[in-house]
Each structure stands twice: as structure tokens, then as C-alpha cells.
Amino acid sequence: MPANRPSLPLNIVIVGASGDLARQKIAPALFALFCQGLLPERCQIIGFARSDYTDDSFRARLAETLTCRYRPGRNCRQLTQDFLARCFYCRGDYDARDAFLDVYQIMRRLEDGAGGGNRLFYMAVPPQVFQDVAQAIGGAGLVHCQGPRWSRVIVEKPFGKDRASSDRLVRDLRTIFTEEQTYRIDHYLGKEVIQNLLILRFANAVFEPLWNRRHIERVEIVWHEDIGMEGRGGYFDHYGIIRDVMQNHLLQILALTAMERPAKLDHAGAIRAAKVRLLRAVAPVRAGGLRLGQYGAARTSGRRRPGYLDEAQVAAGSLTPTYAAVRLRLRNPRWRGVPFDLEAGKGLHDRLTEIRIHFRRRPAAAFRFQTQPLPGNVLVIRVQPDEGIYLRVNNKVPGLAMALAPTMLDLRYADAFPRRPIPSAYECLLWEALEGDRSLFISEAELAAAWDIFTPALHALDRRPRRPLPYVFGSAGPQADAGG
């Protein structure tokens, strides 16, 4: 265990601990930090939800998803037992102050006699109960307001449905937790390749001089999933692909890709300020500029895949889009005239998240033997799966004749760092929250700027819904089916 491991006691309270997010993402991430010696010796995890678990049954549920990938084959069983011994469960209603007083009784086991401790609250619950939970936590006196001990809260997206509802959520939470105590999580910001964007751009002299309208023709940011609702039909039908993916994940990727160099590259406030300036430079989206689609049933790999309207908990005749594409324009000197094309969809032919930087083409006259314009260079930053960075360059084809062909220079993370496990996004973000580093979390100003881009179009679609273009499950989306 590292000698510099934090010494103050730490209570981590997972509100909504009976859900899949806690079991599949949060608990495994905390276990990974535990295996690396990054949690304090005096640390306990308290699950809170309405489900009827005991400490033992809660531990058994968590154990199903824990893996010792940082210490394979070495003391794994003992590590798992040691971690689970630090996990406890408290049942109660989310708006019940008395239930959180029961949580406090569990906290006292760790904190009494130690001068108090730090507290991290993770709201793994729907946003409509954030305020109830916060009020109950505050009413139970569990939030440290000053002194050497800290209290922090992590909240999951979606942060509202538009600018106004987002602002209300911010104001409501601020009655209990200050902005400095609030960590709004977008798990894409914890992905290794997204974190590497700052390094790629500003630690390599070859890229930054070319990172502008003179050399870049267009930028694509794509997010594809090859699955349907997977039990999330009720949630998704309420929000849709724009609110679920495009307004948050893709705009955060856009901000890191296109922002100006921050005043300080290692300062959370400077990075977030640069992102805000970029987002405020994006022209608001008009409803007519959105291409919307909705997947229909298909038979793929010998299996029938239901259409969106056949999914459980989806309203009959729903017009909620499962696919959206939009072209954004940035109103600043660096990017004026360069289109940024965003695309997000479910039920597509692949699972992929990529940033594609298309550089301007060289003229055909560059070489006498070349009659067509040379293919443009493309820098591909693959976020998932198979994390990597690829650069398409023009090369001479081996042989006596003079001919060119585009080829790929590739850096696959798995090949470049074979002995370095890639941390999950939740590992990175939980560690940053424990460290008090808010660089990878969304500020109030970022949230407002991002909603300002899409709110006008979303309101227009709410007033006058339009039927999304159909596309077949497992296809490339509506543009392929429609011949576009």
C-alpha cells in the first residue's frame, strides 16, 4: 500500500446502491482503487436505497462484479473479503431525514475518536429525486460546511431537460452543497483517450500549429451503439438521444477538441474556463438543422431485434429519436467556417466513439503523375472500443512505378502500453473526486453554455414534434436507408 495514502477516515455513501450503476460501475471502480491502495485505511462504503437488503446480501450483490485485474491471481480472495468487510447497507426512503440519521450511526463507527472524517455522497438516482436526497442529507446534518474535513457530492446526468430545468436543479442543490462541493459527472470525461486530448494537442509541437481553419477542413464526432434500449426504454423515451448523449457527452468532447489553450494546463479552473469559452462560441442549433431517426425491427445474426416502438416501457407511437446528426458552427477566429459534424445513434451497425480530424487536401498538381486530388490526411482519435490514435497519410506504393496510396499510422493503446491496465472512467473520476480535482467534472457555467446550444431546437421539437426518419436496426442509420 502506498505510504502517502490518505489518513483521514472516509465515508462513501452510495445513494441508489441497489441499482445497476452502483453494482456494475461504482463498486468495481472503488474496489480497483482499494486494490491499488488509493483508499484510506479507515474507509467504509455505505449503500443506501429503498430495497430490502442486509449487510450480507448487499455484499453478496456487490461481489458478483468485483475483479482483481490490478492484482490478478495474487491475494484476490483476501482483497475481496477485506473490501466487502468495509461495505454496509442502510434501507430508507430518499426523502427521509430519519433514514439518513441511520446512515450517520454507521458513519460514527468509523469517525468516532478520529476527529471526524471526510464524506463523499454519490447520487446514483434519477435527477428528479436529487433535491429530496440533498435536503434529507442536509437535514440530518451530514454535510461539513467548514473545517479540515470535507463533504462532496457526485451527481449523474441528465442535468435537467433544458436550460431552465438545469438552472433550477443547480439552484436547488446549492441550498445544501456549494458549487465547490458539487461534482457533476460525465463518465466520458474519465475515459483515457479523452483525458489524453490535452496531452495530444498541447504536448506535441506537430499538432497545435495545424489545429485551425487554415489546415483543417472539417471535424466529425461520432457515437454509435449496436444495441437497443436494454431495459432503459422508460428513461430513454423521456429524454431521447439529443439529451441523453449529444448535449453532454459529445459537447464535452467537442469542447476539449476545439478549445483554446488554457492559461494553465494543470489547473482545473483554467481548463473549465477554456471549455466554457468554446461552448459559448457555438451557434445555437435550429430544429431544422437536426437529422432525426428511429430504428425499426430487423433480423440480424439469426436473431430478431425489436424496433424502438416495440421496446418495453416505450410509449405507443413515440416520436422520440434514437438517432440524431447535426452540423455545428463555431463563431471564433480559429474555427470560423469549419463544420463540426456530430452524430449519435442506437441500434446501428457498430459500437464506436471517435473523433475524426479531416485535414485539407493537397492539390493534384503536387505530383505530375497524380491526376486526382490527393486524399486528405485524417487524424482519428478512437475513444472506444480498442482505444487508439490513427493518422491517415499518403505513401508511395512499393515498386518501380510511382503511385501513391493512403495508409494508416496507428497507435493502439493495448499495443503501446501492454502492461498498463487502462483504468475505467469511473475509477478515474472517483479518484479525482476524492483528490478534490474538478478538472474532469462539469461546472455550472459549462452546463449552462451546453444547454444554450440545444435548448432552442429542443423546445421547437417539443412544440411541433416531427416523425423521425426510419432506419433498420443494425444499419448505418437513416441516411443510408433514405439514400442520403
Side-chain angles (χ1 to χ4, degrees), residues 35-105:
C35 289
Q36 297 171 83
L38 297 176
L39 297 182
E41 179 64 37
R42 290 174 293 172
C43 174
Q44 63 184 12
I45 297 157
I46 305 168
F48 181 92
R50 294 173 298 197
S51 301
D52 193 14
Y53 286 104
T54 63
D55 288 346
D56 288 341
S57 60
F58 178 59
R59 290 165 181 162
R61 178 175 169 80
L62 297 185
E64 296 171 355
T65 58
L66 304 184
T67 60
C68 296
R69 66 193 188 99
Y70 287 99
R71 295 192 173 190
R74 187 174 64 178
N75 301 325
C76 183
R77 187 171 186 176
Q78 187 62 52
L79 279 169
T80 303
Q81 291 175 351
D82 289 347
F83 175 77
L84 292 174
R86 291 165 165 81
C87 298
F88 303 91
Y89 186 78
C90 183
R91 181 181 180 276
D93 292 329
Y94 293 134
D95 60 352
R97 170 183 170 274
D98 288 348
F100 283 96
L101 288 174
D102 293 339
V103 170
Y104 175 64
Q105 294 304 316

Side-chain angles (χ1 to χ4, degrees), residues 26 32 55 174 191 226 402 412 421 467:
I26 302 171
D55 288 346
R174 198 188 290 138
K191 290 183 178 292
D226 57 359
M402 184 63 74
R412 291 183 68 250
R467 186 166 300 282

